[in-house]
Amino acid sequence: MLSPVSIHGLLTTLLWMCVLCNAQSDSGSPVIQLRLAGEKRKHYEGRVEVFYNGEWGTVCDDDFSIYAAQVVCRELGYLDAESWAPSAKYGRGEGRIWLDNVHCTGAEKSLAQCESNGFGVSDCKHSEDVGVVCTQKRIPGFKFIKNHANSDEGMTVQVEDVRIRATYSHRKRIPITEGFLEVKDGGKWRQICNEEWTEMNSRVICGMYGFPGEKRFNTRPYKLLAKRRKKNYWGFSVNCTGNEADLSDCKLGHEIELKGNDTCEPGMPVVISCVPGRAFAPSVSMGFRKAYRVEQPLVRLKGGAMIGEGRVEVLKNGEWGTVCDDNWNIQAATVVCRELGFGSAKEALTGARMGQGIGPVHMNEVLCSGFEKSLTDCYFNRDALGCSHEEDAAVRCNVPAMGFHKRLRLNGGRNPYEGRVEVLAERNGSLVWGTVCSDSWGTMEAMVVCRQLGLGFASHAFQETWYWQGDASADAVVMSGVRCSGTELTLDQCLHHGKHVLCPKGGGRFAAGVSCTQTAPDLVLSSQVVEQTTYLEDRPMYALQCAQEEHCLSSSADKADSTSYRRLLRFSSQIHNNGQSDFRPRAAHHSWVWHECHRHYHSMEVFTHYDLMSLNGTKVAEGHKASFCLEDTHCDEGIQKRYECANFGAQGITVGCWDTYRHDIDCQWIDITDVKPGDYIFQIVINPNYEVAESDYTNNIMRCRSRYDGHRIWTYNCHIGGTLSSDTEETFPGLLTNQLSHR
């Protein structure tokens, strides 16, 4: 007869065998657990790693397919797979290569059910480790089951969703910065026990939600609230180091014994409290913002369409430069994001994905722990040479959910990226949809609309939208007089008439519209070429008849004798497209203008402004508005020319190419005949009316110091807007902001 102890032991053994049976598939395949790992990745992509026989290992890319990727992603709780990557794209793994020559149909419930050589049978190296990219959406009701066959070590948190649930009194605050933390597992929202919760865990959650850090909070009201509420705890604790970009990168802690309402006694559910960045702070801090001047930042983002994304630039010795993408990873990207008041990084981008910068490459082979206050505190290789702007690093940061996209919509367009702009406005105590008056509507306003909707850059701004059938109930104009600087996060942050709408043309066919695009060009003038090619020429009036007809001379030339001379400040313009899409003129072929002087069509009537100004910014030479034919004069190696002016050809500037207007072409000058000797500022502005959308307008302006003694001219210190620190640029009024009238 068996003793009670023996019976208990037998039952335990049978129960353990049952757990293993349930964990195995019908075909009796082994119990495995999967995770995604590696560098430079988002939380839903990475190197496939398998836990088998008490040890983590990788999968070889031989015979791997999208069907195998689908099995992996579904086993991890994602709806589907987007793609897979061979050749250790996410870095080389360690340990055993558990699976090789994997063949899946896509219907398997586990990777272990797919045909393969068998566990541990492989002739691969870790240079062949396979990776997958899953869809971001999780399987509704997905239940994370931790197999008892493996150890605690290395398992990451896998849940359907995460949220900060604000208390009733905080629910109307935007953004939500404080509340109970809940995870969705098995289709139900569950709390986490706070007994082993750490500040590092809170730091990761705050980062996910777009906040740079966590803060202390008053626990008393939450304790009272938790006592009154029915609790439904998640069965695990969480171990984050604090430099993870997402909760799914944190390690799974030990299992928690679920005892109904007695679970987690004497603890309580985890509460998160985050510090919002300056741009997202509630309006009570506006007074603080106005009272204190913000210090010159050491790091900035350029070239991104959305707030919290862009090419990383750092300030060194008064000059802005870029960061090389060698070893660029999510830790370094997160340091940048938090430093700038955003959350952790969603993505560490390489290969100039946010356009190429200008100036020096200041940092290379950056190595951050993830806890540095600034990117400039991270280790980097000071001696590393050979990085070009084709390797400029960039980031996409997590930003708080502000709900901006709910106050604006596009209607009537052929696709979600275009349409009549309709805004939500308060009228007679209720919120109604209405249109925006198109008076003064331009590219800058369209840029703000596209940003607010998360649709990228503006492609075009439309002042007539009769061809787009909007919502008839939203025909009334509810917003007018809109003027944006281009940096606003929402349209209602721009200057506008407020409640007293004034729109002489009325709405209807004249309602404002936009079209948006994911990429944009970015034109930059070569300051070096201007500085090296500047000289004076005295030219007789009889040789300037064509130029005078095209208004390239000062007004005093109208009364000048044909035998008299004009003094011309000549120079070459070399304009590069450093952006992500071609620069194309807005005007269609039929509206281009023939220019006799240049013997070709000009697709933009005002492409540049040339001016000479006193040191306080007053114009001393009339300068002129130069029109251009746009073409690819030269291109970087490996890039094909696409545009040429000859024979009424297509006009534009290809990405990676430049258009050169030589100093010896008519009108490539400023007429300084009437200018007295002295010190001046020589200024060139490209695309001054913002006629064509670009990813960055601050670098469209170039200024040089000039000294004229009445006979010769010296041009020096030429530089592009935004390339120097604010202290240096104060000597060049207007250069920081490029505040030029575009009306």
Side-chain angles (χ1 to χ4, degrees):
M1 187 175 171
L2 290 170
S3 69
V5 174
S6 301
I7 292 168
H8 180 263
L10 183 63
L11 285 170
T12 305
T13 307
L14 286 168
L15 186 65
W16 178 246
M17 286 172 71
C18 268
V19 165
L20 285 178
C21 290
N22 289 336
Q24 290 192 356
S25 68
D26 298 336
S27 59
S29 55
V31 176
I32 63 167
Q33 199 97 42
L34 300 181
R35 71 179 179 189
L36 300 179
E39 290 296 313
K40 293 181 184 175
R41 67 184 189 93
K42 293 163 264 192
H43 64 271
Y44 48 89
E45 66 175 354
R47 181 175 61 247
V48 179
E49 296 198 345
V50 179
F51 190 84
Y52 172 73
N53 205 19
E55 191 182 338
W56 283 102
T58 62
V59 178
C60 182
D61 60 14
D62 292 352
D63 294 343
F64 203 83
S65 67
I66 191 65
Y67 301 115
Q70 286 168 348
V71 173
V72 168
C73 291
R74 289 193 195 113
E75 194 169 352
L76 287 167
Y78 297 99
L79 265 176
D80 205 351
E82 280 189 3
S83 61
W84 64 278
S87 309
K89 182 190 171 183
Y90 298 100
R92 298 180 185 199
E94 293 175 349
R96 303 279 294 273
I97 297 173
W98 277 128
L99 292 169
D100 186 9
N101 298 111
V102 177
H103 291 267
C104 303
T105 64
E108 295 87 352
K109 294 225 170 8
S110 168
L111 194 65
Q113 293 175 10
C114 298
E115 285 183 24
S116 70
N117 294 351
F119 279 87
V121 182
S122 170
D123 59 356
C124 295
K125 297 175 182 172
H126 280 299
S127 57
E128 299 169 83
D129 285 345
V130 80
V132 297
V133 181
C134 303
T135 56
Q136 289 189 59
K137 288 187 176 174
R138 306 285 300 186
I139 296 169
F142 175 77
K143 180 89 175 91
F144 171 66
I145 299 169
K146 178 170 175 282
N147 293 330
H148 294 265
N150 66 37
S151 68
D152 288 345
E153 190 217 337
M155 276 309 306
T156 51
V157 176
Q158 293 168 28
V159 289
E160 201 180 324
D161 204 355
V162 186
R163 73 180 180 188
I164 298 173
R165 190 180 177 195
T167 59
Y168 188 75
S169 58
H170 284 110
R171 239 164 245 172
K172 288 188 178 174
R173 290 191 185 176
I174 295 176
I176 290 172
T177 58
E178 188 173 298
F180 288 107
L181 175 68
E182 296 188 337
V183 294
K184 196 176 190 182
D185 189 29
K188 290 182 179 176
W189 287 104
R190 304 170 193 273
Q191 300 84 38
I192 296 178
C193 179
N194 75 340
E195 286 194 325
E196 294 179 35
W197 190 261
T198 65
E199 280 187 12
M200 290 299 119
N201 293 358
S202 294
R203 174 182 162 88
V204 172
I205 299 293
C206 288
M208 278 175 67
Y209 278 88
F211 304 113
E214 73 292 344
K215 66 179 174 68
R216 294 184 181 279
F217 59 95
N218 182 5
T219 56
R220 196 160 168 270
Y222 289 102
K223 275 183 181 170
L224 293 170
L225 209 55
K227 276 181 184 173
R228 294 204 303 268
R229 279 188 182 168
K230 188 183 174 188
K231 292 175 281 293
N232 182 17
Y233 282 103
W234 193 48
F236 299 92
S237 61
V238 175
N239 293 328
C240 303
T241 60
N243 65 1
E244 295 90 347
D246 194 271
L247 183 65
S248 61
D249 297 321
C250 294
K251 296 285 186 285
L252 196 68
H254 66 263
E255 270 186 75
I256 288 169
E257 193 181 349
L258 300 175
K259 301 179 289 186
N261 267 353
D262 295 329
T263 307
C264 195
E265 289 294 336
M268 61 176 275
V270 166
V271 174
I272 298 291
S273 185
C274 306
V275 182
R278 183 180 291 271
F280 306 101
S283 52
V284 278
S285 65
M286 285 298 286
F288 170 84
R289 279 199 236 173
K290 288 175 183 172
Y292 298 97
R293 187 182 171 200
V294 184
E295 283 182 29
Q296 169 82 55
L298 296 175
V299 178
R300 69 182 183 185
L301 301 181
K302 301 291 278 185
M306 303 295 117
I307 187 165
E309 69 174 34
R311 180 177 60 252
V312 180
E313 297 191 351
V314 292
L315 186 65
K316 183 180 174 185
N317 300 329
E319 186 176 11
W320 287 99
T322 61
V323 176
C324 188
D325 64 11
D326 293 351
N327 300 347
W328 186 247
N329 63 15
I330 207 86
Q331 272 81 29
T334 291
V335 170
V336 169
C337 292
R338 289 189 192 271
E339 177 181 1
L340 294 172
F342 307 116
S344 50
K346 272 195 289 198
E347 239 177 312
L349 300 165
T350 56
R353 286 269 302 279
M354 294 284 179
Q356 295 184 27
I358 52 178
V361 178
H362 281 326
M363 298 176 85
N364 185 22
E365 295 176 9
V366 177
L367 185 64
C368 302
S369 70
F371 294 100
E372 292 85 354
K373 288 272 185 265
S374 170
L375 186 70
T376 55
D377 297 333
C378 296
Y379 167 83
F380 63 97
N381 188 346
R382 295 166 192 275
D383 303 319
L385 301 169
C387 269
S388 70
H389 285 300
E390 290 173 6
E391 300 168 86
D392 284 344
V395 297
R396 280 200 181 98
C397 306
N398 285 313
V399 296
M402 303 295 286
F404 291 150
H405 61 285
K406 295 174 185 172
R407 298 186 234 157
L408 192 70
R409 68 188 184 193
L410 301 183
N411 224 323
R414 295 161 297 180
N415 58 59
Y417 283 81
E418 67 176 22
R420 182 175 84 172
V421 178
E422 295 177 0
V423 295
L424 199 57
E426 194 179 322
R427 287 290 176 271
N428 303 323
S430 59
L431 289 171
V432 296
W433 287 99
T435 57
V436 179
C437 185
S438 65
D439 283 354
S440 78
W441 187 257
T443 305
M444 285 302 192
E445 290 72 35
M447 280 285 197
V448 175
V449 167
C450 294
R451 179 182 300 122
Q452 185 173 345
L453 289 170
L455 297 177
F457 300 102
S459 174
H460 292 294
F462 299 95
Q463 294 194 342
E464 284 190 43
T465 51
W466 51 268
Y467 36 80
W468 284 332
Q469 196 62 49
D471 189 334
S473 66
D475 279 346
V477 176
V478 294
M479 198 174 193
S480 64
V482 183
R483 290 194 173 217
C484 305
S485 68
T487 58
E488 296 88 352
L489 300 182
T490 65
L491 200 61
D492 56 12
Q493 287 177 3
C494 301
L495 288 172
H496 58 94
H497 288 154
K499 289 182 181 176
H500 303 289
V501 172
L502 180 65
C503 189
K505 286 195 292 191
R509 64 175 293 169
F510 295 109
V514 300
S515 63
C516 306
T517 176
Q518 288 296 304
T519 57
D522 182 22
L523 297 189
V524 182
L525 185 72
S526 169
S527 54
Q528 193 179 359
V529 168
V530 172
E531 196 166 320
Q532 290 170 353
T533 58
T534 310
Y535 66 96
L536 294 180
E537 183 197 6
D538 289 341
R539 196 165 177 82
M541 271 300 296
Y542 62 77
L544 293 169
Q545 291 307 305
C546 184
Q548 190 178 8
E549 285 170 19
E550 295 199 12
H551 309 292
C552 298
L553 302 173
S554 297
S555 53
S556 61
D558 296 342
K559 299 168 189 170
D561 186 81
S562 62
T563 57
S564 64
Y565 283 76
R566 305 301 293 179
R567 179 154 291 177
L568 308 174
L569 170 60
R570 281 188 175 274
F571 53 91
S572 293
S573 292
Q574 190 182 92
I575 296 157
H576 295 243
N577 182 359
N578 284 358
Q580 295 171 279
S581 62
D582 296 354
F583 185 95
R584 299 296 313 275
R586 223 181 123 188
H589 257 76
H590 67 268
S591 59
W592 294 357
V593 179
W594 174 259
H595 278 250
E596 195 59 41
C597 291
H598 295 166
R599 305 292 300 165
H600 56 222
Y601 285 92
H602 284 187
S603 56
M604 286 183 72
E605 217 26 63
V606 180
F607 180 64
T608 51
H609 281 180
Y610 299 150
D611 286 299
L612 195 68
M613 305 183 297
S614 67
L615 297 182
N616 68 6
T618 311
K619 288 185 184 180
V620 291
E622 285 174 34
H624 66 282
K625 298 172 181 178
S627 56
F628 266 52
C629 162
L630 302 171
E631 69 174 4
D632 297 326
T633 312
H634 295 287
C635 295
D636 290 333
E637 195 177 336
I639 295 173
Q640 199 75 32
K641 292 182 186 179
R642 296 178 63 183
Y643 305 106
E644 62 174 341
C645 297
N647 305 319
F648 201 36
Q651 293 193 21
I653 306 175
T654 304
V655 175
C657 299
W658 56 93
D659 185 3
T660 303
Y661 255 49
R662 285 171 49 88
H663 55 83
D664 52 4
I665 294 175
D666 259 4
C667 297
Q668 192 56 32
W669 63 57
I670 296 176
D671 182 356
I672 64 163
T673 308
D674 308 319
V675 173
K676 294 171 182 165
D679 287 315
Y680 299 101
I681 293 170
F682 170 32
Q683 175 178 283
I684 300 175
V685 185
I686 312 165
N687 191 14
N689 298 341
Y690 312 123
E691 195 178 312
V692 176
E694 295 185 48
S695 60
D696 186 3
Y697 287 112
T698 57
N699 58 18
N700 281 29
I701 186 167
M702 189 221 68
R703 286 186 166 191
C704 308
R705 297 294 292 266
S706 290
R707 176 163 286 181
Y708 176 48
D709 68 357
H711 307 286
R712 291 167 298 176
I713 197 158
W714 291 267
T715 305
Y716 58 99
N717 279 4
C718 292
H719 71 277
I720 304 297
T723 56
L724 303 182
S725 71
S726 55
D727 297 337
T728 315
E729 294 197 337
E730 277 170 5
T731 58
F732 290 84
L735 189 56
L736 262 180
T737 54
N738 188 9
Q739 288 301 322
L740 298 156
S741 169
H742 63 287
R743 307 297 178 203

